[in-house]
Amino acid sequence: MPKNALYAQSGGVSAVINASAWGVIEAVRGHPAHFGTCYAARNGILGVLEEEIIDLDEEDPLTLAALRHTPGGAFGSCRFDLGDLHADRAQYERLVEVFHAHDIGYFFYNGGGGSMDTAHKVARIGDELGYPITAVGVPKTIDNDLGMTDTSPGFGSAAKFIATVVREASLDVESAHTTSTRVFILEVMGRHAGWLAAAAALAQEYDGRPPMLILFPESPFDLGDFLTQLQMAIRTHGYCVVVASEGLKNPDGSLFSVAQSHDIYAYTQLGGVAPRLAEIIRQETGHKLHWSVVDYIQRAARHLASRTDVEQAYAVGRAAVEGVVAGRHGFMPVIRRESDQPYRWSIDRVPLEEVASIERGLPPSFISPDGYGITAACRDYLRPLIEGEDYPPFERGLPCYPRIRGVLRPQRCPPFRAEPPD
């Protein structure tokens, strides 16, 4: 009898992660000779450790198909990293116990670099503990910092949203800057990589409006130079838009701002860049200003998703399954760019060890010489990723996002409390 498949989501979710989920589920069900039943773990790898396995046969088929246009993580996500396979052996023995209890032979983990590390560790269970499991990573991150792939599903839609709201907000500021707001600051996500901040530059028209200064985590923040550039922009245009990455760093490499100084499962919560910048600008220049933090909105805005992004998210989900059917294991599907104009792409595969816990920042060639904008090469890279619209269905004026029932399979193993590794 074919072994069952288990899908799970991890890390910060996106507007299109559920499109990948549907790609996996649909493809698994399309190969009944290779796979048994397809299940989903609740709350990522934690759901596996705690044996919370969602029975997808209990779901309405139309609800599952609607995952393609539903934001968030339909099955729940987590920020939890497996420990060392030898030092934290109990975690892996528990995984084997749960896999065996539910006859799981295939594990698909949908997430970013840390999640690929988890998938890689699960893939090693066969060699280390003798349980045959095929583990595959499915890429996702709005930060676009996964290595070995041209882009990460989730980024294109977040980039489209940021460029859109910057263009719209700048028109608001431009309309009244002579007697009101002269500086508008937008804080975007990006722990170590400035891809999302760079996307804001797509809001600029051919004449360079709105005037904009982008603060990248890759470029150490020079306060004096920044204030000089800001004053020049205001003298020339009357106003300026500032887009700052949450991972902005001081010249000594320390973070410009941290929302919480403690770690939760080894993740420091960033934030607070926009209000801190606002206070400095207010004290140093006296300009009236406003600031905003898009926060979760940038990764949740499915109503403005990029069609390219939706199609790629769905494609990597299917490709993960098709790769397994072809006899591959321990890999992550990646997107290969074949041309910019017209934009063409294809799906390839790379070993999990080549992408596990590896972050890709914005290359220097994509940042303008003054450090506050993007180059033509960066613009050519970004533009295709935000193209096309893929609106969800609307009902009574609002997007319609069905929810899964989430019926759990009966537990067959003793209780287990998952603890993060030291």
Side-chain angles (χ1 to χ4, degrees):
M1 290 289 293
K3 294 283 186 179
N4 299 324
L6 182 64
Y7 167 84
Q9 299 171 324
S10 176
V13 294
S14 77
V16 300
I17 187 173
N18 290 329
S20 294
W22 175 235
V24 170
I25 295 165
E26 185 183 47
V28 166
R29 289 179 167 181
H31 291 281
H34 198 97
F35 303 98
T37 302
C38 186
Y39 300 122
R42 186 162 74 182
N43 300 331
I45 196 70
L46 277 177
V48 186
L49 292 169
E50 297 173 359
E51 200 188 1
E52 295 186 333
I53 309 299
I54 298 172
D55 189 345
L56 298 182
D57 286 344
E58 295 290 330
E59 302 295 336
D60 185 327
L62 293 179
T63 299
L64 289 178
L67 290 174
R68 191 183 184 280
H69 66 253
T70 302
F75 306 108
S77 184
C78 71
R79 292 196 184 277
F80 184 94
D81 296 326
L82 291 175
D84 179 78
L85 199 146
H86 300 290
D88 298 282
R89 192 176 181 87
Q91 290 183 347
Y92 296 88
E93 291 174 344
R94 174 61 173 189
L95 292 177
V96 168
E97 183 180 39
V98 173
F99 287 154
H100 179 73
H102 298 272
D103 200 24
I104 304 297
Y106 307 94
F107 180 61
F108 298 92
Y109 208 36
N110 201 171
S115 305
M116 295 308 106
D117 181 61
T118 294
H120 179 48
K121 288 174 178 175
V122 173
R124 294 172 55 198
I125 286 178
D127 293 333
E128 299 287 342
L129 277 74
Y131 182 84
I133 185 75
T134 296
V136 176
V138 183
K140 172 276 322 171
T141 174
I142 70 165
D143 289 334
N144 203 38
D145 58 357
L146 270 171
M148 307 298 291
T149 183
D150 179 70
T151 186
S152 303
F155 170 69
S157 294
K160 186 184 186 78
F161 177 80
I162 288 169
T164 300
V165 298
V166 167
R167 175 170 286 186
E168 292 174 342
S170 69
L171 291 172
D172 185 301
V173 177
E174 182 182 4
S175 66
H177 71 269
T178 56
T179 57
S180 185
T181 301
R182 287 178 174 253
V183 181
F184 174 68
I185 306 167
L186 184 71
E187 180 181 325
V188 302
M189 287 183 175
R191 181 171 293 263
H192 301 299
W195 295 100
L196 286 170
L202 296 177
Q204 290 181 305
E205 304 282 359
Y206 67 92
D207 59 356
R209 289 188 298 176
M212 187 182 304
L213 296 176
I214 302 176
L215 305 180
F216 304 100
E218 292 87 353
S219 301
F221 180 59
D222 184 326
L223 177 58
D225 185 64
F226 166 72
L227 291 173
T228 298
Q229 297 294 329
L230 180 69
Q231 293 286 55
M232 288 175 56
I234 293 173
R235 280 196 298 269
T236 303
H237 302 281
Y239 71 103
C240 185
V241 174
V242 177
V243 178
S245 168
E246 65 178 358
L248 184 65
K249 295 178 180 63
N250 297 309
D252 64 359
S254 62
L255 288 166
F256 181 75
S257 177
V258 175
Q260 293 185 12
S261 59
H262 64 278
D263 286 359
I264 302 174
Y265 298 130
Y267 288 93
T268 300
Q269 183 179 338
L270 303 186
V273 170
R276 187 176 174 204
L277 271 176
E279 186 59 31
I280 292 173
I281 294 170
R282 187 179 291 111
Q283 290 178 352
E284 296 294 328
T285 71
H287 293 310
K288 185 173 181 179
L289 53 81
H290 278 268
W291 60 268
S292 181
V293 181
V294 283
D295 201 49
Y296 282 9
I297 302 172
Q298 64 204 293
R299 73 188 195 197
R302 179 58 181 83
H303 67 285
L304 197 61
S306 152
R307 180 184 298 171
T308 297
D309 194 30
V310 175
E311 291 175 350
Q312 290 179 339
Y314 173 76
V316 296
R318 289 198 62 90
V321 176
E322 299 295 343
V324 169
V325 173
R328 304 297 183 93
H329 61 89
F331 70 91
M332 182 187 85
V334 295
I335 297 165
R336 299 293 189 212
R337 182 178 299 224
E338 297 175 358
S339 66
D340 288 329
Q341 296 179 350
Y343 180 54
R344 294 195 180 97
W345 55 277
S346 59
I347 301 291
D348 199 357
R349 294 182 287 264
V350 298
L352 282 170
E353 59 264 30
E354 295 185 12
V355 291
S357 296
I358 295 174
E359 292 181 315
R360 177 189 68 159
L362 198 67
S365 61
F366 277 15
I367 300 176
S368 61
D370 66 4
Y372 297 104
I374 66 171
T375 61
C378 184
R379 197 173 295 273
D380 289 343
Y381 166 81
L382 291 170
R383 275 178 176 150
L385 304 181
I386 71 168
E387 287 183 352
E389 287 67 54
D390 192 299
Y391 299 117
F394 278 70
E395 182 178 322
R396 301 182 69 179
L398 291 173
C400 185
Y401 300 136
R403 293 177 177 270
I404 66 163
R405 296 177 61 210
V407 177
L408 298 180
R409 301 200 78 211
Q411 294 190 334
R412 302 173 177 178
C413 304
F416 181 89
R417 180 172 176 79
E419 297 289 346
D422 294 334

PDB file of all heavy atoms in Angstrom, residues 117-134:
ATOM      1  N   ASP A 117      15.788  24.117   6.659  1.00  0.00           N
ATOM      2  CA  ASP A 117      16.683  23.421   7.581  1.00  0.00           C
ATOM      3  C   ASP A 117      15.920  22.315   8.308  1.00  0.00           C
ATOM      4  O   ASP A 117      16.433  21.195   8.470  1.00  0.00           O
ATOM      5  CB  ASP A 117      17.268  24.414   8.592  1.00  0.00           C
ATOM      6  CG  ASP A 117      18.236  23.760   9.559  1.00  0.00           C
ATOM      7  OD1 ASP A 117      19.256  23.226   9.101  1.00  0.00           O
ATOM      8  OD2 ASP A 117      17.958  23.775  10.781  1.00  0.00           O
ATOM      9  N   THR A 118      14.682  22.615   8.728  1.00  0.00           N
ATOM     10  CA  THR A 118      13.854  21.595   9.374  1.00  0.00           C
ATOM     11  C   THR A 118      13.568  20.447   8.414  1.00  0.00           C
ATOM     12  O   THR A 118      13.667  19.269   8.784  1.00  0.00           O
ATOM     13  CB  THR A 118      12.531  22.211   9.865  1.00  0.00           C
ATOM     14  OG1 THR A 118      12.813  23.153  10.898  1.00  0.00           O
ATOM     15  CG2 THR A 118      11.586  21.145  10.391  1.00  0.00           C
ATOM     16  N   ALA A 119      13.206  20.771   7.182  1.00  0.00           N
ATOM     17  CA  ALA A 119      12.936  19.726   6.184  1.00  0.00           C
ATOM     18  C   ALA A 119      14.175  18.866   5.953  1.00  0.00           C
ATOM     19  O   ALA A 119      14.081  17.639   5.806  1.00  0.00           O
ATOM     20  CB  ALA A 119      12.464  20.363   4.880  1.00  0.00           C
ATOM     21  N   HIS A 120      15.339  19.511   5.922  1.00  0.00           N
ATOM     22  CA  HIS A 120      16.591  18.781   5.723  1.00  0.00           C
ATOM     23  C   HIS A 120      16.852  17.829   6.892  1.00  0.00           C
ATOM     24  O   HIS A 120      17.284  16.680   6.699  1.00  0.00           O
ATOM     25  CB  HIS A 120      17.739  19.778   5.580  1.00  0.00           C
ATOM     26  CG  HIS A 120      19.082  19.141   5.396  1.00  0.00           C
ATOM     27  ND1 HIS A 120      19.326  18.132   4.491  1.00  0.00           N
ATOM     28  CD2 HIS A 120      20.274  19.373   6.024  1.00  0.00           C
ATOM     29  CE1 HIS A 120      20.600  17.773   4.543  1.00  0.00           C
ATOM     30  NE2 HIS A 120      21.185  18.501   5.480  1.00  0.00           N
ATOM     31  N   LYS A 121      16.572  18.292   8.110  1.00  0.00           N
ATOM     32  CA  LYS A 121      16.763  17.432   9.287  1.00  0.00           C
ATOM     33  C   LYS A 121      15.811  16.249   9.257  1.00  0.00           C
ATOM     34  O   LYS A 121      16.187  15.128   9.610  1.00  0.00           O
ATOM     35  CB  LYS A 121      16.565  18.255  10.556  1.00  0.00           C
ATOM     36  CG  LYS A 121      17.702  19.246  10.829  1.00  0.00           C
ATOM     37  CD  LYS A 121      17.383  20.143  12.011  1.00  0.00           C
ATOM     38  CE  LYS A 121      18.548  21.083  12.309  1.00  0.00           C
ATOM     39  NZ  LYS A 121      18.213  22.055  13.396  1.00  0.00           N
ATOM     40  N   VAL A 122      14.565  16.492   8.837  1.00  0.00           N
ATOM     41  CA  VAL A 122      13.600  15.389   8.734  1.00  0.00           C
ATOM     42  C   VAL A 122      14.055  14.395   7.671  1.00  0.00           C
ATOM     43  O   VAL A 122      13.920  13.174   7.842  1.00  0.00           O
ATOM     44  CB  VAL A 122      12.193  15.919   8.417  1.00  0.00           C
ATOM     45  CG1 VAL A 122      11.222  14.770   8.133  1.00  0.00           C
ATOM     46  CG2 VAL A 122      11.670  16.775   9.568  1.00  0.00           C
ATOM     47  N   ALA A 123      14.627  14.917   6.585  1.00  0.00           N
ATOM     48  CA  ALA A 123      15.092  14.033   5.508  1.00  0.00           C
ATOM     49  C   ALA A 123      16.185  13.085   5.980  1.00  0.00           C
ATOM     50  O   ALA A 123      16.369  12.006   5.405  1.00  0.00           O
ATOM     51  CB  ALA A 123      15.592  14.874   4.336  1.00  0.00           C
ATOM     52  N   ARG A 124      16.913  13.461   7.031  1.00  0.00           N
ATOM     53  CA  ARG A 124      18.019  12.632   7.538  1.00  0.00           C
ATOM     54  C   ARG A 124      17.540  11.528   8.472  1.00  0.00           C
ATOM     55  O   ARG A 124      18.342  10.674   8.877  1.00  0.00           O
ATOM     56  CB  ARG A 124      19.028  13.524   8.262  1.00  0.00           C
ATOM     57  CG  ARG A 124      19.746  14.510   7.346  1.00  0.00           C
ATOM     58  CD  ARG A 124      20.578  15.487   8.159  1.00  0.00           C
ATOM     59  NE  ARG A 124      21.510  14.810   9.036  1.00  0.00           N
ATOM     60  CZ  ARG A 124      22.101  15.379  10.087  1.00  0.00           C
ATOM     61  NH1 ARG A 124      21.812  16.635  10.399  1.00  0.00           N
ATOM     62  NH2 ARG A 124      22.950  14.695  10.840  1.00  0.00           N
ATOM     63  N   ILE A 125      16.249  11.541   8.826  1.00  0.00           N
ATOM     64  CA  ILE A 125      15.737  10.545   9.763  1.00  0.00           C
ATOM     65  C   ILE A 125      15.937   9.131   9.229  1.00  0.00           C
ATOM     66  O   ILE A 125      16.240   8.202   9.990  1.00  0.00           O
ATOM     67  CB  ILE A 125      14.246  10.808  10.068  1.00  0.00           C
ATOM     68  CG1 ILE A 125      14.122  12.018  10.998  1.00  0.00           C
ATOM     69  CG2 ILE A 125      13.574   9.588  10.694  1.00  0.00           C
ATOM     70  CD1 ILE A 125      12.684  12.398  11.324  1.00  0.00           C
ATOM     71  N   GLY A 126      15.774   8.957   7.929  1.00  0.00           N
ATOM     72  CA  GLY A 126      15.929   7.633   7.348  1.00  0.00           C
ATOM     73  C   GLY A 126      17.291   7.046   7.625  1.00  0.00           C
ATOM     74  O   GLY A 126      17.421   5.876   8.015  1.00  0.00           O
ATOM     75  N   ASP A 127      18.347   7.845   7.444  1.00  0.00           N
ATOM     76  CA  ASP A 127      19.707   7.365   7.670  1.00  0.00           C
ATOM     77  C   ASP A 127      20.029   7.231   9.153  1.00  0.00           C
ATOM     78  O   ASP A 127      20.721   6.298   9.569  1.00  0.00           O
ATOM     79  CB  ASP A 127      20.716   8.322   7.019  1.00  0.00           C
ATOM     80  CG  ASP A 127      20.614   8.323   5.505  1.00  0.00           C
ATOM     81  OD1 ASP A 127      20.186   7.290   4.947  1.00  0.00           O
ATOM     82  OD2 ASP A 127      20.947   9.347   4.887  1.00  0.00           O
ATOM     83  N   GLU A 128      19.543   8.186   9.955  1.00  0.00           N
ATOM     84  CA  GLU A 128      19.927   8.229  11.366  1.00  0.00           C
ATOM     85  C   GLU A 128      19.082   7.331  12.260  1.00  0.00           C
ATOM     86  O   GLU A 128      19.582   6.754  13.221  1.00  0.00           O
ATOM     87  CB  GLU A 128      19.831   9.675  11.877  1.00  0.00           C
ATOM     88  CG  GLU A 128      20.751  10.658  11.154  1.00  0.00           C
ATOM     89  CD  GLU A 128      22.205  10.471  11.527  1.00  0.00           C
ATOM     90  OE1 GLU A 128      22.483   9.838  12.562  1.00  0.00           O
ATOM     91  OE2 GLU A 128      23.077  10.966  10.781  1.00  0.00           O
ATOM     92  N   LEU A 129      17.778   7.218  11.964  1.00  0.00           N
ATOM     93  CA  LEU A 129      16.888   6.443  12.828  1.00  0.00           C
ATOM     94  C   LEU A 129      16.257   5.250  12.118  1.00  0.00           C
ATOM     95  O   LEU A 129      15.489   4.502  12.726  1.00  0.00           O
ATOM     96  CB  LEU A 129      15.778   7.337  13.402  1.00  0.00           C
ATOM     97  CG  LEU A 129      16.134   8.152  14.650  1.00  0.00           C
ATOM     98  CD1 LEU A 129      17.044   9.323  14.300  1.00  0.00           C
ATOM     99  CD2 LEU A 129      14.871   8.672  15.327  1.00  0.00           C
ATOM    100  N   GLY A 130      16.525   5.116  10.840  1.00  0.00           N
ATOM    101  CA  GLY A 130      16.059   3.932  10.130  1.00  0.00           C
ATOM    102  C   GLY A 130      14.617   3.946   9.700  1.00  0.00           C
ATOM    103  O   GLY A 130      14.093   2.924   9.249  1.00  0.00           O
ATOM    104  N   TYR A 131      13.946   5.113   9.810  1.00  0.00           N
ATOM    105  CA  TYR A 131      12.556   5.182   9.352  1.00  0.00           C
ATOM    106  C   TYR A 131      12.538   5.808   7.961  1.00  0.00           C
ATOM    107  O   TYR A 131      13.027   6.919   7.766  1.00  0.00           O
ATOM    108  CB  TYR A 131      11.703   6.019  10.301  1.00  0.00           C
ATOM    109  CG  TYR A 131      10.244   6.082   9.875  1.00  0.00           C
ATOM    110  CD1 TYR A 131       9.364   5.076  10.228  1.00  0.00           C
ATOM    111  CD2 TYR A 131       9.780   7.137   9.096  1.00  0.00           C
ATOM    112  CE1 TYR A 131       8.030   5.121   9.824  1.00  0.00           C
ATOM    113  CE2 TYR A 131       8.446   7.186   8.681  1.00  0.00           C
ATOM    114  CZ  TYR A 131       7.576   6.174   9.037  1.00  0.00           C
ATOM    115  OH  TYR A 131       6.272   6.208   8.625  1.00  0.00           O
ATOM    116  N   PRO A 132      11.960   5.125   6.980  1.00  0.00           N
ATOM    117  CA  PRO A 132      11.950   5.657   5.611  1.00  0.00           C
ATOM    118  C   PRO A 132      10.985   6.828   5.457  1.00  0.00           C
ATOM    119  O   PRO A 132       9.773   6.647   5.515  1.00  0.00           O
ATOM    120  CB  PRO A 132      11.516   4.466   4.760  1.00  0.00           C
ATOM    121  CG  PRO A 132      10.701   3.611   5.701  1.00  0.00           C
ATOM    122  CD  PRO A 132      11.309   3.797   7.064  1.00  0.00           C
ATOM    123  N   ILE A 133      11.512   8.024   5.288  1.00  0.00           N
ATOM    124  CA  ILE A 133      10.684   9.224   5.097  1.00  0.00           C
ATOM    125  C   ILE A 133      11.289  10.073   3.993  1.00  0.00           C
ATOM    126  O   ILE A 133      12.499  10.301   3.966  1.00  0.00           O
ATOM    127  CB  ILE A 133      10.558  10.044   6.407  1.00  0.00           C
ATOM    128  CG1 ILE A 133       9.597  11.224   6.231  1.00  0.00           C
ATOM    129  CG2 ILE A 133      11.926  10.483   6.903  1.00  0.00           C
ATOM    130  CD1 ILE A 133       8.157  10.869   6.194  1.00  0.00           C
ATOM    131  N   THR A 134      10.471  10.495   3.067  1.00  0.00           N
ATOM    132  CA  THR A 134      10.895  11.403   2.006  1.00  0.00           C
ATOM    133  C   THR A 134      10.457  12.804   2.386  1.00  0.00           C
ATOM    134  O   THR A 134       9.257  13.063   2.505  1.00  0.00           O
ATOM    135  CB  THR A 134      10.273  11.005   0.661  1.00  0.00           C
ATOM    136  OG1 THR A 134      10.755   9.715   0.282  1.00  0.00           O
ATOM    137  CG2 THR A 134      10.633  12.017  -0.428  1.00  0.00           C
TER     138      THR A 134
END
